[in-house]
Amino acid sequence: MRKAVNDINRCVACGVCCKECPRQAIEIYKGCYALVDTGVCVGCGICEKACPAGSITVSDTEEGR
Amino acid sequence: MKNKTGKKRHWYDYLWIWSIIYFSLGFFNILFAWLGMIDFILPLIFAIVGGNKWFCNNMCGRGQLFWLLGRNLKCSRKKPAPKWLSSKWFRYGFLAFFMTMFGTMIFQTYLVFSGANSLRKVVKLFWTFKVPWEWAYNGSIFPDWVAQFGYGFYSLMLTSTLIGLIVMVLYKERTWCSFCPMGTMTQGICKLKNK
Ligand code: SF4
Ligand code: SF4
Ligand code: SF4
């Protein structure tokens, strides 16, 4: 399953990804980083294109549905 | 009205208009620069009281303006920015630099307050270039230091917006957000709060 994965050490918690995600799969967890709900994410990559810090990327993950 | 992603539009989705109004007002009267304090205090209240970045995430007019110009009006190359620009040392280094410059500006204001210096009607861009701006102030009921702070604060706001516009064109739409001092500070506060 291709899902968005966030590097929480790079993430600046700006919320651009969260705003752009068509599935509303992202929340900014306590102002610290973007948290992806992998159950909702469809791996479209819109968040990756929007992220100014290059911290969220779509890649193959084990945990799928 | 709904946007592309099907989300409902809110009043705070239009705060980019506020960014434009702010700079326009300050162009005609420098005292309006004080209104920019709202953009300094609000994010801090959200971070300190709420432990969140709701300001950045939903209501920052500047971030919205960069998105609008960069994405909707296609003024951005949308290229990934160099990694160091969003690295921790650069972000916190830039925050430290910014705070130092803020402190310098407060000190300049103090010098006018104490009478050691007289009011200088200039806007300083990139902390270097002095641009004459005398039309924006012809005296008021307030003492001169109030106007001096206005000039200093307006310079800071204009400079950071110009830097933001440059990185918007060169890199991603909201590249500024990856090293914006307010963004770094509020995220830092949230991280401390959630330790
Ligand atoms: S890949 Fe698409 S669905 Fe998944 S979080 Fe990113 S924008 Fe949302
Ligand atoms: S756009 Fe990137 S930096 Fe901003 S919150 Fe999302 S993952 Fe983090
Ligand atoms: S990081 Fe700065 S410019 Fe970006 S949304 Fe937050 S306060 Fe606004």
Side-chain angles (χ1 to χ4, degrees):
Chain A
M1 275 306 244
R2 286 179 70 72
K3 301 281 180 190
V5 180
N6 188 18
D7 177 354
I8 63 168
N9 281 316
R10 286 203 70 81
C11 180
V12 301
C14 62
V16 182
C17 54
C18 169
K19 237 182 171 170
E20 290 307 299
C21 174
R23 298 294 307 263
Q24 274 127 78
I26 308 176
E27 69 162 310
I28 302 302
Y29 181 74
K30 291 185 172 176
C32 297
Y33 53 82
L35 188 65
V36 182
D37 182 343
T38 41
V40 180
C41 172
V42 290
C44 66
I46 288 175
C47 53
E48 180 176 344
K49 287 202 194 76
C51 177
S55 97
I56 198 163
T57 46
V58 172
S59 57
D60 285 308
T61 49
E62 258 107 87
E63 69 221 85
R65 255 176 280 199
Chain B
M1 195 172 34
K2 287 185 173 180
N3 67 2
K4 268 205 308 272
T5 55
K7 285 173 204 157
K8 205 178 153 282
R9 288 247 185 218
H10 304 276
W11 62 270
Y12 49 74
D13 288 323
Y14 300 94
L15 285 171
W16 55 272
I17 300 169
W18 160 244
S19 295
I20 298 171
I21 293 175
Y22 175 77
F23 287 113
S24 317
L25 288 175
F27 183 84
F28 293 108
N29 191 323
I30 206 66
L31 293 180
F32 284 113
W34 277 82
L35 290 176
M37 287 304 282
I38 300 171
D39 292 316
F40 259 65
I41 293 163
L42 259 189
L44 289 174
I45 292 176
F46 276 113
I48 294 167
V49 180
N52 63 47
K53 291 231 320 170
W54 208 86
F55 181 89
C56 282
N57 302 162
N58 296 291
M59 59 183 303
C60 176
R62 178 180 305 202
Q64 290 172 9
L65 187 66
F66 293 149
W67 187 260
L68 196 87
L69 295 174
R71 180 63 64 104
N72 302 5
L73 298 180
K74 300 185 169 60
C75 297
S76 171
R77 294 198 312 150
K78 300 190 198 174
K79 297 271 185 253
K83 286 242 154 186
W84 59 264
L85 213 54
S86 53
S87 65
K88 285 218 165 63
W89 70 263
F90 182 76
R91 292 179 64 210
Y92 281 96
F94 190 67
L95 173 63
F97 170 76
F98 210 82
M99 293 317 282
T100 310
M101 288 308 170
F102 192 81
T104 311
M105 187 265 283
I106 299 290
F107 185 64
Q108 298 293 343
T109 306
Y110 169 76
L111 288 179
V112 173
F113 168 80
S114 69
N117 275 354
S118 53
L119 171 66
R120 283 187 213 132
K121 298 181 185 180
V122 290
V123 161
K124 214 170 180 185
L125 292 181
F126 303 102
W127 300 282
T128 318
F129 308 107
K130 293 194 181 106
V131 184
W133 211 268
E134 66 274 352
W135 60 81
Y137 193 68
N138 294 307
S140 67
I141 54 163
F142 299 107
D144 271 359
W145 67 265
V146 176
Q148 184 62 55
F149 180 87
Y151 276 106
F153 200 62
Y154 193 79
S155 306
L156 212 68
M157 294 293 268
L158 196 55
T159 298
S160 51
T161 302
L162 288 173
I163 298 174
L165 284 172
I166 294 168
V167 290
M168 174 199 81
V169 172
L170 290 177
Y171 308 118
K172 296 265 179 176
E173 299 87 344
R174 277 178 64 170
T175 297
W176 166 257
C177 293
S178 66
F179 61 95
C180 165
M182 283 319 291
T184 306
M185 197 154 40
T186 49
Q187 188 195 25
I189 293 168
C190 289
K191 281 188 170 171
L192 283 176
K193 272 195 79 125
N194 292 305
K195 264 237 163 86

